[in-house]
Amino acid sequence: MEIPYKIYLEESELPKQWYNVRADMKNKPAPLLNPETHQPATLDELSAVFCRELARQEFNENDAYIDIPDEILSFYKMYRPAPLVRAYCLEKALATPAKIYYKFEGNNTSGSHKLNSAIAQAYYAKKQGLKGVTTETGAGQWGTALSMACAYFGLDCKVYMVKVSYEQKPFRREVMRTYGANVTPSPSDTTEVGRKILAEFPGTNGSLGCAISEAVETALHTEGYRYVLGSVLNQVLLHQSVIGLESMAACDKYGIKPDVIIGCAGGGSNLGGLISPFMGRKLRGEADYQFIAVEPKSCPSLTRGKYAYDFCDTGKVCPLQKMYTLGSGFMPSPNHAGGLRYHGMSGIVSQLYADGLMEARSVEQTAVFEAAQQFARIEGILPAPESSHAIRVAVDEALKCKETGEEKTILFGLTGTGYFDMVAYQKFNDGQMSDYIPTDAEIAKSLADLPQV
Amino acid sequence: MEIPYKIYLEESELPKQWYNVRADMKNKPAPLLNPETHQPATLDELSAVFCRELARQEFNENDAYIDIPDEILSFYKMYRPAPLVRAYCLEKALATPAKIYYKFEGNNTSGSHKLNSAIAQAYYAKKQGLKGVTTETGAGQWGTALSMACAYFGLDCKVYMVKVSYEQKPFRREVMRTYGANVTPSPSDTTEVGRKILAEFPGTNGSLGCAISEAVETALHTEGYRYVLGSVLNQVLLHQSVIGLESMAACDKYGIKPDVIIGCAGGGSNLGGLISPFMGRKLRGEADYQFIAVEPKSCPSLTRGKYAYDFCDTGKVCPLQKMYTLGSGFMPSPNHAGGLRYHGMSGIVSQLYADGLMEARSVEQTAVFEAAQQFARIEGILPAPESSHAIRVAVDEALKCKETGEEKTILFGLTGTGYFDMVAYQKFNDGQMSDYIPTDAEIAKSLADLPQV
């Protein structure tokens, strides 16, 4: 069958349930721990921070499929299905025998896949009768997505934006404001934890870890608010499974059998969402795939971190999670892929990686932007720096096929567009972009601070 | 039949020919005139400025359908079909009995419909063996589109960008550079006409008219280069007919019969492209539609201009065209809808308007941004300011239906996204946006300078 350039599922073919990969995992992700008692966190404890239904989803490791509420399905229809694209032009330009596909999640105003979970979390917050939510944002994609979702349901939205991104992406702030959100650069003096971090590290560029602490503190101290998070959590990977489910449906419809599935990995939301249903097949012994997580060399949690319980945030107010981590005190360099500047990794992805079910690679920023520019010129989409990590490895794999003559089928997640990343592109265009790789001593130092569990 | 939120045609249903509305017009657009002799321009004269095949298309008023070359069809498949979207959420929010559809052309990196003609013009330039092309850009969408098209075919691309947009949209420049283009703010000192305009109007914000003159001058004085234009010309409306053809195919497939068809109008490329095939049916007596062109009150060529021969550019080097014009010396205020800051209007659209086959309305900028914000929050797409002119009138029409109870079907063109227009959105968010309406005396003054033909 001839494969079209872009596969759009029919509305009737869209997933009506999310897939929960934990149901098929033999080794489940370790439970979250109360940061003070080091005992497994309870539903009531989590519900003080998160919406109750989302806390339930966080604990649910048995139901393989969870119905997507109608209100969310309606919203999904405004920007989904995301196309599964055959990269015919890229294949030709690389002269590779490999077949390259990408699932493109950038065709919405948030510019990324983040909207898939934002709308779900806003829905459950509204259903619980909350006034609003607080959150953090790195690259600004999650904050934009949540602003859009909150505008849709009439919720207030308070966003703490990692300072380096806030400064590099002033227009992101305006998009969020256009959707009615309040945006504060983090660390800020609006929270206790922010003031503490500012005192300890004056001039810090901020990190997702700091911003999370500030958003959690604000939610805990504001009546009618809860905290929502755009990555890392089990619930987020559950919502993001819509990416993988659509991809799998499109592949099955056209008889496409991916050999390699590649995603960029920051907190793990896009990667986990993309691979989950395929991983389910692998776990159930129905098919086999090579999965590759791609992270920046400047923030290499899977490839150089430790699998251990750690704080999810710099301020140490969140539950402890067992994950690959560089230590909650790790301060990544001002790498431009703001969405990948997180010290830890989703518990689900961490467990799958620990069990040898997937691989991980780290790549340098300049090599990533070379791939980004090449991709933009050939495939016509200007990719986000985060997404370009996956492009880099997809291109590398396709070039390997060129050497070996293998006709592998490569599928990667193109999570978003780079329209708000032009400061980074400008640095690259001007030859001013540098790489940064943390030393062993730096990583050892931040890992020395892991909690004793 | 239930109408999906988004209608995507199958690849096999995409148009393989452009539609040339001139073939069905009883009164053809008046011929272009040589600016010195005032005699009809010849193919050879036009071919000194434009690629030869494009000059031929400019003259072709008899062939209703023109084959789209395979290379262009392949490129179209990378970002087309554009979806025809049913605005269910907007209808609900407005509580209108009207049915609202929009053809969304923003899902590509140029951010607009401009790519439809850019790729065609770059193709013909490449086929003619040229080294490169020159052009102007207002909002930056056309320049971005042409940069993408030139990168695809390996052509050099020199862009003169209207100064006010160059300053308000620094990131647009970086997108163009990422695609390998050279970008110069206009008026500039790189051309004779630019130096003359700078001397006469120091501190000018620039206009499309100036930028066109500079680009034409550069093309005429550089071996192996031709000039390309993103709007106004017959050839551009021909290429843009792909918008209308896809829209009509989608409407026909689902039994949708638009009563009102609305498009924003700067030079007329999107409007002409969207309405052409529908206008063809009207001209052939097969159906009837109400067509509405929407222009900014700050640059009201259809609603306050004169239908007369005029220069297409401020420097008076281009052929004369009969069109609705405010005079080639008209300097629009720094309105943020950069793409609508042109003193004239497409010859085809002008003739259709003169013949009473369509209507025109002008709207104020603040009212446009109110509609833009409302649309962004409800439909989830952050629209370009240009496109938001059409949204404004579509919403107005839907609200009229609410009063009268009429169940009209409204179709409008959503030409692009506003991701690079956040300076304008910021002004609106801060309550700092103002309106500007030229006085009768201002318009009379620039009209006094019309050529005597």
PDB file of all heavy atoms in Angstrom, chain B residues 221-233:
ATOM      1  N   HIS B 221      19.319  44.459 -11.495  1.00  0.00           N
ATOM      2  CA  HIS B 221      20.751  44.761 -11.549  1.00  0.00           C
ATOM      3  C   HIS B 221      21.640  43.598 -11.126  1.00  0.00           C
ATOM      4  O   HIS B 221      22.827  43.768 -10.938  1.00  0.00           O
ATOM      5  CB  HIS B 221      21.063  45.998 -10.693  1.00  0.00           C
ATOM      6  CG  HIS B 221      20.480  47.255 -11.264  1.00  0.00           C
ATOM      7  ND1 HIS B 221      19.173  47.635 -11.052  1.00  0.00           N
ATOM      8  CD2 HIS B 221      21.011  48.201 -12.074  1.00  0.00           C
ATOM      9  CE1 HIS B 221      18.926  48.764 -11.676  1.00  0.00           C
ATOM     10  NE2 HIS B 221      20.019  49.132 -12.317  1.00  0.00           N
ATOM     11  N   THR B 222      21.048  42.417 -10.915  1.00  0.00           N
ATOM     12  CA  THR B 222      21.851  41.271 -10.495  1.00  0.00           C
ATOM     13  C   THR B 222      21.675  40.135 -11.500  1.00  0.00           C
ATOM     14  O   THR B 222      20.556  39.674 -11.729  1.00  0.00           O
ATOM     15  CB  THR B 222      21.436  40.799  -9.075  1.00  0.00           C
ATOM     16  OG1 THR B 222      21.259  41.947  -8.237  1.00  0.00           O
ATOM     17  CG2 THR B 222      22.513  39.895  -8.477  1.00  0.00           C
ATOM     18  N   GLU B 223      22.765  39.695 -12.083  1.00  0.00           N
ATOM     19  CA  GLU B 223      22.755  38.627 -13.094  1.00  0.00           C
ATOM     20  C   GLU B 223      22.160  37.336 -12.515  1.00  0.00           C
ATOM     21  O   GLU B 223      22.548  36.893 -11.429  1.00  0.00           O
ATOM     22  CB  GLU B 223      24.213  38.383 -13.556  1.00  0.00           C
ATOM     23  CG  GLU B 223      24.409  37.274 -14.565  1.00  0.00           C
ATOM     24  CD  GLU B 223      23.828  37.618 -15.939  1.00  0.00           C
ATOM     25  OE1 GLU B 223      23.719  38.815 -16.262  1.00  0.00           O
ATOM     26  OE2 GLU B 223      23.464  36.666 -16.672  1.00  0.00           O
ATOM     27  N   GLY B 224      21.221  36.736 -13.263  1.00  0.00           N
ATOM     28  CA  GLY B 224      20.665  35.438 -12.835  1.00  0.00           C
ATOM     29  C   GLY B 224      19.613  35.536 -11.756  1.00  0.00           C
ATOM     30  O   GLY B 224      19.283  34.540 -11.117  1.00  0.00           O
ATOM     31  N   TYR B 225      19.089  36.736 -11.544  1.00  0.00           N
ATOM     32  CA  TYR B 225      18.050  36.909 -10.529  1.00  0.00           C
ATOM     33  C   TYR B 225      16.768  37.432 -11.175  1.00  0.00           C
ATOM     34  O   TYR B 225      16.804  38.120 -12.195  1.00  0.00           O
ATOM     35  CB  TYR B 225      18.502  37.906  -9.449  1.00  0.00           C
ATOM     36  CG  TYR B 225      19.437  37.281  -8.438  1.00  0.00           C
ATOM     37  CD1 TYR B 225      20.733  36.938  -8.795  1.00  0.00           C
ATOM     38  CD2 TYR B 225      19.014  37.011  -7.141  1.00  0.00           C
ATOM     39  CE1 TYR B 225      21.591  36.349  -7.887  1.00  0.00           C
ATOM     40  CE2 TYR B 225      19.869  36.423  -6.219  1.00  0.00           C
ATOM     41  CZ  TYR B 225      21.152  36.097  -6.594  1.00  0.00           C
ATOM     42  OH  TYR B 225      21.982  35.513  -5.694  1.00  0.00           O
ATOM     43  N   ARG B 226      15.641  37.090 -10.585  1.00  0.00           N
ATOM     44  CA  ARG B 226      14.383  37.695 -10.944  1.00  0.00           C
ATOM     45  C   ARG B 226      13.679  38.093  -9.660  1.00  0.00           C
ATOM     46  O   ARG B 226      14.042  37.649  -8.569  1.00  0.00           O
ATOM     47  CB  ARG B 226      13.474  36.733 -11.736  1.00  0.00           C
ATOM     48  CG  ARG B 226      13.921  36.457 -13.153  1.00  0.00           C
ATOM     49  CD  ARG B 226      13.836  37.671 -14.069  1.00  0.00           C
ATOM     50  NE  ARG B 226      14.171  37.325 -15.446  1.00  0.00           N
ATOM     51  CZ  ARG B 226      15.415  37.112 -15.905  1.00  0.00           C
ATOM     52  NH1 ARG B 226      16.448  37.213 -15.084  1.00  0.00           N
ATOM     53  NH2 ARG B 226      15.612  36.784 -17.169  1.00  0.00           N
ATOM     54  N   TYR B 227      12.673  38.918  -9.847  1.00  0.00           N
ATOM     55  CA  TYR B 227      11.875  39.384  -8.723  1.00  0.00           C
ATOM     56  C   TYR B 227      10.642  38.492  -8.580  1.00  0.00           C
ATOM     57  O   TYR B 227      10.060  38.069  -9.579  1.00  0.00           O
ATOM     58  CB  TYR B 227      11.462  40.837  -8.987  1.00  0.00           C
ATOM     59  CG  TYR B 227      10.379  41.339  -8.086  1.00  0.00           C
ATOM     60  CD1 TYR B 227      10.620  41.531  -6.724  1.00  0.00           C
ATOM     61  CD2 TYR B 227       9.112  41.616  -8.577  1.00  0.00           C
ATOM     62  CE1 TYR B 227       9.620  41.984  -5.891  1.00  0.00           C
ATOM     63  CE2 TYR B 227       8.111  42.072  -7.743  1.00  0.00           C
ATOM     64  CZ  TYR B 227       8.372  42.253  -6.396  1.00  0.00           C
ATOM     65  OH  TYR B 227       7.380  42.690  -5.568  1.00  0.00           O
ATOM     66  N   VAL B 228      10.249  38.202  -7.360  1.00  0.00           N
ATOM     67  CA  VAL B 228       9.002  37.469  -7.131  1.00  0.00           C
ATOM     68  C   VAL B 228       8.172  38.244  -6.107  1.00  0.00           C
ATOM     69  O   VAL B 228       8.729  38.940  -5.256  1.00  0.00           O
ATOM     70  CB  VAL B 228       9.237  36.019  -6.649  1.00  0.00           C
ATOM     71  CG1 VAL B 228       9.976  35.209  -7.697  1.00  0.00           C
ATOM     72  CG2 VAL B 228      10.010  35.995  -5.341  1.00  0.00           C
ATOM     73  N   LEU B 229       6.877  38.108  -6.202  1.00  0.00           N
ATOM     74  CA  LEU B 229       5.961  38.909  -5.388  1.00  0.00           C
ATOM     75  C   LEU B 229       4.934  37.973  -4.748  1.00  0.00           C
ATOM     76  O   LEU B 229       4.483  37.031  -5.399  1.00  0.00           O
ATOM     77  CB  LEU B 229       5.270  39.939  -6.302  1.00  0.00           C
ATOM     78  CG  LEU B 229       4.202  40.870  -5.725  1.00  0.00           C
ATOM     79  CD1 LEU B 229       4.786  41.769  -4.642  1.00  0.00           C
ATOM     80  CD2 LEU B 229       3.600  41.731  -6.833  1.00  0.00           C
ATOM     81  N   GLY B 230       4.590  38.255  -3.504  1.00  0.00           N
ATOM     82  CA  GLY B 230       3.756  37.312  -2.761  1.00  0.00           C
ATOM     83  C   GLY B 230       2.272  37.571  -2.840  1.00  0.00           C
ATOM     84  O   GLY B 230       1.484  36.814  -2.252  1.00  0.00           O
ATOM     85  N   SER B 231       1.859  38.631  -3.530  1.00  0.00           N
ATOM     86  CA  SER B 231       0.428  38.940  -3.564  1.00  0.00           C
ATOM     87  C   SER B 231       0.117  39.714  -4.830  1.00  0.00           C
ATOM     88  O   SER B 231       0.960  39.786  -5.737  1.00  0.00           O
ATOM     89  CB  SER B 231       0.040  39.732  -2.318  1.00  0.00           C
ATOM     90  OG  SER B 231      -1.362  39.832  -2.220  1.00  0.00           O
ATOM     91  N   VAL B 232      -1.045  40.292  -4.895  1.00  0.00           N
ATOM     92  CA  VAL B 232      -1.490  41.241  -5.922  1.00  0.00           C
ATOM     93  C   VAL B 232      -1.597  40.635  -7.327  1.00  0.00           C
ATOM     94  O   VAL B 232      -2.618  40.786  -7.990  1.00  0.00           O
ATOM     95  CB  VAL B 232      -0.568  42.499  -5.971  1.00  0.00           C
ATOM     96  CG1 VAL B 232      -1.039  43.468  -7.039  1.00  0.00           C
ATOM     97  CG2 VAL B 232      -0.522  43.177  -4.621  1.00  0.00           C
ATOM     98  N   LEU B 233      -0.533  39.960  -7.789  1.00  0.00           N
ATOM     99  CA  LEU B 233      -0.473  39.499  -9.176  1.00  0.00           C
ATOM    100  C   LEU B 233      -1.478  38.395  -9.484  1.00  0.00           C
ATOM    101  O   LEU B 233      -1.884  37.625  -8.619  1.00  0.00           O
ATOM    102  CB  LEU B 233       0.938  38.989  -9.488  1.00  0.00           C
ATOM    103  CG  LEU B 233       2.077  40.010  -9.369  1.00  0.00           C
ATOM    104  CD1 LEU B 233       3.425  39.327  -9.513  1.00  0.00           C
ATOM    105  CD2 LEU B 233       1.912  41.105 -10.431  1.00  0.00           C
TER     106      LEU B 233
END
